[in-house]
Structures are given as structure tokens and as C-alpha cells.
């Protein structure tokens, strides 16, 4: 029986791992289906993590985190968790290999994943010219022209990254104002090889047997424009990874918002005793590395108190 099971090994889960183990819980396992680090490892640059100055990639930022946790006894099992349920006071962690682990407490930290924009050809050409990761795929378009879809922080930051590698970046956004931070918008506007294609919605990505050859956009005026590019990067927001909380009868284990985020209180407690949710998956998440890490610390301290109380009876 684990004292605590942590599901997900991004900034939130890793920080929960650090605080639960260092705070005295005996047996804590973090279940992470891939390499620990989370979605920030796909970011080319992070400049708002306090105390870290200069240019640093998400991968470099996250590199030391797992080692720090393991020093205090955190176990990492590289496996997907398919479901978390609760029977009496015991949580069941259903794993991808069909086995089940038991735990006194659970900290959910499964984060979020890139949303698909929904235009024609997006699925057909995904991985063959359509991408959601500039750091992963940008290099394939070195010296070529690409399109970026979206108007948030991710789209603009990744457009800036691509502009350093590619000949030209078409930044396609459906409005004429951006969600992104003002200084990022300014940097984009100052970058001579980024062309803003505003008030324009992607209609279709087209291509041939080799992959993408362009994207068709429709301006709010109704005008259609074909932009011939071999690569299209979409950054149109994220969906919460909440599938693990779905029970056999289709209901969620704990209270959720209509848009699928986990409802928590200020201590990261869900509606189920001993179950915590942190990082991008919880309600009102600021979706930042620093806040995900902060949530991890808060939930860990709560989990320690919860397990102490449970075992003292
Ligand atoms: P995640 O980082 O999403 O980690 C969740 C982890 O859970 C993943 O590793 C996943 O593999 C694992 N997982 C999911 N489901 C399961 C399962 N069923 N079983 C086992 N494991 C599972 N934030 C900033 O502060 N500054 C930035 O500059 C910045 N730039 C960004 C750039 C990009 C391109 C992106 C995508 C995000 C950026 N963010 C930035 C946001 C930041 O990355 C997230 O807010 C943060 O990573 C959330 O952390 P998390 O631990 O909640 O979730
Ligand atoms: P986001 O802020 O939700 O922005 C998504 C963008 O995509 C919006 O501009 C939206 O347009 C557009 N969009 C949505 N659906 C679309 C569709 N179907 N077709 C075309 N365009 C569509 O998402 P994000 O940029 O990924 O950021 C997610 C969170 O992470 C945010 O909280 C962000 O602040 C944070 N983040 C922070 C940093 C940083 O701090 N440096 C970096 C990256 C991400 P509208 O604007 O018209 O809605």
C-alpha cells in the first residue's frame, strides 16, 4: 500500500513528489507514462521561471527535477494509469499493464495536451506537415516557409522560435488582437520575417502524397487565400487530461467543471477525501510552470496531513 500515488510527472507532479518524500511519507510512487518533465519540455524557451535568467529551454529547465526528487526517495514507474478509483478508504491505481496498485492518497497531475483546431486535413496530415511542437519539428523546415495558427502565448512564442530557423513564418490568427503577453506581441511585430495574417480562419490544409503543401484561410471579409507552405504548426490551446478520473459507469470520481477541469479548494483538495488535483488540470489553473509547482507543494503538505490522520486511527 502506497502512502501516496502521484499520477503525472510534469512540474506539478514532480514538486508533489519532492515535498511528499522530503516531508516524511514513506512510500510515494510517481506514475508517469513518458519521461518526467511534462509539456514544458517541448518549449524552446522559458523566460518567466523565477531565478532562472538567460535563455533556457524547457528541457534544460526540467532536467534536474527528477534527480532531486529521487534523492529523497520518490519512486518513478514509467507506465500509463488508465483509471483511479476509490473503494472505502483505499484508492486503486489501475495501470496500463492491467495490474492495480493501492494507495492511501492520490495526487492527480496529468496536465493538459495540445488541442486540435478542427480544420479540414488537420488529422490527415498530422505528423506529415501538421505539428503541435516547434522544438520537435521546426528543424525540418530550416530555410523554408511555415504557417503558425493561433494568437496565444504559445503561438507567438513558437512563431518567434520558428522565425529564427525558417525563411518566413505566416502567423494566422482569427482576430486582430492577441491573448499573448504584450511584450511577446511587440517582439513578433518587430520580427521582419513574420507576416501577420489576421482576422483569418484556417479552412483546410492541403497537400500531396509527400505531405502538406499549403493552408487555405478565409478572411472575415470572405476572401480566400492559399498560403503555400510545407509545414503548419497549430497552437490553439489545451484540453485537460481528465480521462483517468472516469469511472466504469462513465461518471467522474470527483466534482468537475463543465469544461472538464477538476474542482479543488485552495488546498488542492477535491470533493473526494485524500484525492488532490494540481497544475494545468485543476480549475482556474494559471497554466504556468511556477504555479503548477506551487500547487504540487500545497497538495503534498495536505496529503502528508491526510495520511498521518488516516493512519493514526
Ligand atoms: P504537464 O506539464 O502537462 O504534465 C503532465 C504529465 O502527466 C505529462 O508528463 C504526461 O505525460 C503525464 N500523464 C498524463 N496522463 C497520464 C496518465 N494517464 N498516466 C501517466 N502519466 C500521465 N509555462 C510557463 O510558465 N512559462 C512558459 O514559458 C511556458 N511555455 C510553454 C510553451 C509550450 C509550448 C507549452 C505547451 C506550455 C508552456 N507553458 C509555459 C505552460 C506549462 O508547460 C504548463 O503550465 C505546465 O507544464 C503544467 O504542468 P503540469 O505538471 O500541470 O502538467
Ligand atoms: P490560449 O491562450 O488558449 O490561446 C489559444 C489561441 O488559439 C487563441 O488565440 C485562440 O483564438 C486560438 N484558437 C483557439 N481555437 C482555435 C481554432 N479552432 N482555430 C483557430 N484558432 C483558434 O492557448 P495557449 O497559447 O496554448 O496558452 C495556454 C496557457 O498556457 C495560457 O494560459 C498561456 O498564458 C500559458 N502559456 C504561458 C506562456 C508564458 O507565460 N510565457 C507560454 C505558453 C503558454 P482567440 O484568441 O480568438 O480565442
Amino acid at each position: 500500500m502506497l502512502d501516496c500515488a502521484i499520477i503525472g510527472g510534469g512540474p506539478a507532479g514532480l514538486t508533489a513528489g519532492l515535498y511528499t518524500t522530503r516531508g516524511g511519507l514513506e512510500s510515494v510512487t510517481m506514475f508517469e507514462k513518458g519521461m518526467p518533465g511534462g509539456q514544458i519540455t517541448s518549449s524552446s524557451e522559458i523566460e518567466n521561471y523565477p531565478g532562472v535568467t538567460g535563455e533556457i529551454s524547457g528541457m534544460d529547465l526540467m532536467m534536474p527535477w527528477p534527480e532531486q526528487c529521487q534523492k529523497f526517495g520518490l519512486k518513478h514507474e514509467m507506465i500509463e494509469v488508465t483509471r483511479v478509483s476509490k473503494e472505502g478508504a483505499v484508492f486503486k491505481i489501475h495501470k496500463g499493464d492491467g495490474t492495480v496498485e493501492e494507495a492511501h492518497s492520490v495526487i492527480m497531475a496529468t496536465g493538459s495536451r495540445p488541442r486540435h483546431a478542427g480544420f479540414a486535413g488537420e488529422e490527415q496530415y498530422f505528423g506529415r506537415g501538421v505539428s503541435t511542437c516547434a522544438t520537435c519539428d521546426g528543424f525540418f523546415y530550416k530555410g523554408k516557409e511555415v504557417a503558425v495558427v493561433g494568437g496565444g502565448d504559445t503561438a507567438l512564442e513558437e512563431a518567434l522560435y520558428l522565425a529564427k530557423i525558417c525563411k518566413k513564418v505566416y502567423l494566422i490568427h482569427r482576430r486582430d488582437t492577441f491573448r499573448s503577453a504584450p511584450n511577446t506581441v511587440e517582439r513578433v511585430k518587430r520580427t521582419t520575417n513574420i507576416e501577420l495574417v489576421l482576422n483569418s480562419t484556417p479552412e483546410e490544409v492541403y497537400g500531396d502524397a509527400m505531405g502538406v503543401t499549403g493552408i487555405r484561410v478565409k478572411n472575415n471579409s470572405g476572401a480566400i487565400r492559399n498560403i503555400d507552405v510545407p509545414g503548419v504548426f497549430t497552437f490553439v490551446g489545451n484540453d485537460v487530461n481528465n480521462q483517468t478520473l472516469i469511472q466504469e459507469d462513465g461518471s467522474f470520481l470527483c466534482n468537475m467543471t463543465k469544461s472538464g477541469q477538476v474542482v479543488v479548494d485552495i488546498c488542492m483538495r477535491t470533493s473526494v477525501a485524500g484525492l488532490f488535483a494540481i497544475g494545468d488540470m485543476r480549475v482556474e489553473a494559471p497554466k504556468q510552470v511556477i504555479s503548477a509547482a506551487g500547487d504540487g507543494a500545497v497538495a503534498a503538505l495536505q496529503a502528508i496531513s491526510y495520511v498521518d490522520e488516516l493512519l493514526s486511527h
Side-chain angles (χ1 to χ4, degrees):
M1 172 82 76
L2 295 170
D3 281 338
C4 185
I6 299 169
I7 321 297
L14 283 163
T15 308
L18 175 65
Y19 275 72
T20 44
T21 50
R22 195 165 177 276
L25 287 189
E26 289 290 324
S27 54
V28 184
T29 298
M30 181 182 79
F31 299 92
E32 163 57 60
K33 63 182 173 184
M35 291 301 289
Q39 51 179 301
I40 192 66
T41 57
S42 74
S43 174
S44 47
E45 188 188 335
I46 169 162
E47 59 176 13
N48 58 2
Y49 194 80
V52 179
T53 53
E55 277 192 23
I56 183 167
S57 69
M59 187 68 92
D60 286 343
L61 177 78
M62 296 311 297
M63 195 85 83
W65 293 38
E67 190 189 332
Q68 186 185 15
C69 300
Q70 279 151 18
K71 204 170 84 183
F72 295 103
L74 179 71
K75 304 259 181 330
H76 167 213
E77 191 172 335
M78 196 188 277
I79 198 160
E80 179 162 16
V81 171
T82 51
R83 183 160 55 93
V84 172
S85 59
K86 193 177 185 191
E87 287 172 27
V90 177
F91 287 97
K92 308 264 180 186
I93 318 300
H94 304 260
K95 299 192 288 186
D97 61 2
T99 60
V100 178
E101 202 102 20
E102 293 186 337
H104 293 305
S105 65
V106 173
I107 300 178
M108 294 296 306
T110 48
S112 58
R113 62 186 181 281
R115 189 177 293 154
H116 287 199
F119 48 77
E122 186 180 24
E123 305 303 325
Q124 184 189 347
Y125 288 107
F126 199 84
R128 296 197 301 130
V130 175
S131 169
T132 54
C133 180
T135 330
C136 322
D137 299 329
F139 193 75
F140 297 128
Y141 305 100
K142 190 170 165 50
K144 298 178 182 168
E145 297 193 346
V146 294
V148 165
V149 178
D153 279 312
T154 307
L156 270 67
E157 287 181 7
E158 298 312 300
L160 285 166
Y161 171 80
L162 288 165
K164 288 186 205 149
I165 304 171
C166 304
K167 190 170 149 199
K168 180 167 180 176
V169 176
Y170 297 89
L171 178 60
I172 300 163
H173 180 38
R174 60 189 181 184
R175 296 187 294 128
D176 61 1
T177 54
F178 296 98
R179 284 180 195 275
S180 184
N183 76 316
T184 311
V185 176
E186 283 315 307
R187 280 172 65 198
V188 163
K189 286 183 175 167
R190 282 200 307 269
T191 305
T192 51
N193 65 336
I194 298 182
E195 180 183 329
L196 299 181
V197 183
L198 301 179
N199 296 314
S200 298
T201 307
E203 291 249 292
E204 181 182 9
V205 160
Y206 49 85
D208 56 25
M210 301 298 288
V212 166
T213 55
I215 180 166
R216 182 170 302 120
V217 299
K218 188 178 189 180
N219 187 271
N220 290 354
S221 66
I224 300 285
R225 178 177 174 189
N226 287 342
I227 301 172
D228 291 331
V229 285
V232 173
F233 291 84
T234 58
F235 304 107
V236 296
N238 289 297
D239 288 320
V240 169
N241 293 324
N242 59 19
Q243 308 90 317
T244 314
L245 289 168
I246 300 174
Q247 305 300 288
E248 278 176 319
D249 65 1
S251 67
F252 281 104
L253 177 60
C254 58
N255 290 349
M256 310 288 286
T257 66
K258 281 202 181 88
S259 47
Q261 296 138 339
V262 182
V263 176
V264 292
D265 65 11
I266 198 169
C267 296
M268 306 301 140
R269 289 181 292 220
T270 69
S271 56
V272 171
L275 180 71
F276 306 86
I278 57 177
D280 275 16
M281 72 177 318
R282 61 118 166 140
V283 66
E284 303 286 352
K287 296 195 173 135
Q288 296 289 290
V289 173
I290 186 68
S291 52
D295 286 2
V298 172
L301 298 176
Q302 290 295 322
I304 293 169
S305 303
Y306 175 82
V307 173
D308 281 352
E309 175 75 15
L310 191 76
L311 298 184
S312 69
H313 286 125

